[in-house]
């Protein structure tokens, strides 16, 4: 899979905001996870298809840096990009934007595994998009 960037709109909810009127930091990680599943669909491998193929992903590393807060009522979009595709893992980078202003960046490393819940063998599997 060639490096690709996909913009993903994120719906914010009142309960995500703290007493300072900004999105509480833990919600960004939930947004990254939602954006990952939408990203997979946009690049042609929807999450249900991944599962139907007996695969799943496990998050093994995630990080975020904040530049400015997302405030109540602002429209959020996350740019998701492939940063690296390894043999059994892939890394996505995330840029949380309000309009043209980047408010936060992050990256997550996922390992592709067999989906035991679907009766597949556990352990790592080849990452999607690898020859």
């Amino acid at each position: 899979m060639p490096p690709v960037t996909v913009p993903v709109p994120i719906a914010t909810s009142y309960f995500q905001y703290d007493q300072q009127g900004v999105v509480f930091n833990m919600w960004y990680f939930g947004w990254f996870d939602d954006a990952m599943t939408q990203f997979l669909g946009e690049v042609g491998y929807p999450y249900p298809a991944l599962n139907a193929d007996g695969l799943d992903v496990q998050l093994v590393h995630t990080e975020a840096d904040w530049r400015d807060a997302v405030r109540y009522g602002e429209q959020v979009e996350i740019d998701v990009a492939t940063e690296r595709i390894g043999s059994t893992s892939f890394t996505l980078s995330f840029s949380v934007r309000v309009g043209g202003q980047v408010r936060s960046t992050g990256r997550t490393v996922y390992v592709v595994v067999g989906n035991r819940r679907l009766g597949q063998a556990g352990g790592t599997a080849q990452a999607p998009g690898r020859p």
Side-chain angles (χ1 to χ4, degrees):
M1 177 183 350
V4 122
T5 300
V6 173
V8 175
I10 298 295
T12 59
S13 299
Y14 179 77
F15 67 86
Q16 295 172 323
Y17 294 86
D18 62 20
Q19 291 182 345
Q20 298 172 13
V22 300
V23 172
F24 185 65
N25 56 28
M26 68 154 230
W27 292 110
Y28 290 78
F29 294 106
W31 290 351
F32 294 167
D33 203 51
D34 284 345
M36 178 270 294
T37 58
Q38 291 184 52
F39 173 84
L40 290 177
E42 290 292 324
V43 298
Y45 199 29
Y47 205 80
L50 179 87
N51 287 159
D53 288 344
L55 301 173
D56 208 340
V57 296
Q58 291 180 347
L59 183 153
V60 296
H61 176 82
T62 192
E63 61 188 51
D65 293 300
W66 286 269
R67 297 178 184 173
D68 197 0
V70 172
R71 291 167 186 77
Y72 184 74
E74 293 181 321
Q75 300 298 309
V76 175
E77 193 162 62
I78 298 180
D79 293 327
V80 184
T82 53
E83 189 174 296
R84 179 184 173 280
I85 299 175
S87 58
T88 61
S89 67
F90 61 98
T91 304
L92 298 179
S93 62
F94 305 93
S95 292
V96 177
R97 290 185 296 106
V98 173
Q101 184 184 35
V102 175
R103 302 290 177 89
S104 176
T105 58
R107 64 189 292 274
T108 300
V109 179
Y110 299 94
V111 172
V112 181
V113 296
N115 189 330
R116 294 176 202 259
R117 164 176 64 110
L118 297 175
Q120 303 297 322
T124 60
Q126 186 165 330
R130 291 293 293 189

